[in-house]
């Protein structure tokens, strides 16, 4: 059985560049040259993606 992991998506329009997601899961998120978060590796190690989603102050991260 294959377990489908949720894929995080960042809405750059909402992101305020606080860096929380990068601090929590640096293998998955990074900040771009404009200081906005993006998903650099959707399959990177991240213990609790749901926690990251809930920790984003701008509500910019969703899972699909
Ligand atoms: Fe942007 Fe949210 Fe990540 Fe902060 S936690 S950098 S607002 S996506």
């Amino acid at each position: 059985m294959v377990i489908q992991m949720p894929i995080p998506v960042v809405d750059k329009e909402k992101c305020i560049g606080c860096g929380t997601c990068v601090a929590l899961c640096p293998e998955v998120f990074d900040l771009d040259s404009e200081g906005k978060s993006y998903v650099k590796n959707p399959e990177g190690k991240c213990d609790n993606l749901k926690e990251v989603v809930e920790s984003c102050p701008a509500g910019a991260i969703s899972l699909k």
Side-chain angles (χ1 to χ4, degrees):
M1 188 175 86
V2 176
I3 298 174
Q4 188 74 42
M5 296 298 288
I7 303 286
V9 181
V10 175
D11 182 344
K12 284 196 189 190
E13 299 287 318
K14 290 185 183 171
C15 174
I16 58 171
C18 71
T20 300
C21 55
V22 183
L24 288 172
C25 287
E27 286 190 22
V28 176
F29 301 94
D30 204 355
L31 297 181
D32 66 15
S33 58
E34 296 176 342
K36 304 268 187 170
S37 171
Y38 70 98
V39 177
K40 70 173 174 184
N41 180 6
E43 292 172 355
K45 184 177 167 300
C46 183
D47 288 336
N48 196 340
L49 265 180
K50 200 158 166 275
E51 183 192 6
V52 181
V53 170
E54 288 166 3
S55 298
C56 173
I61 307 172
S62 55
L63 301 179
K64 71 173 183 183

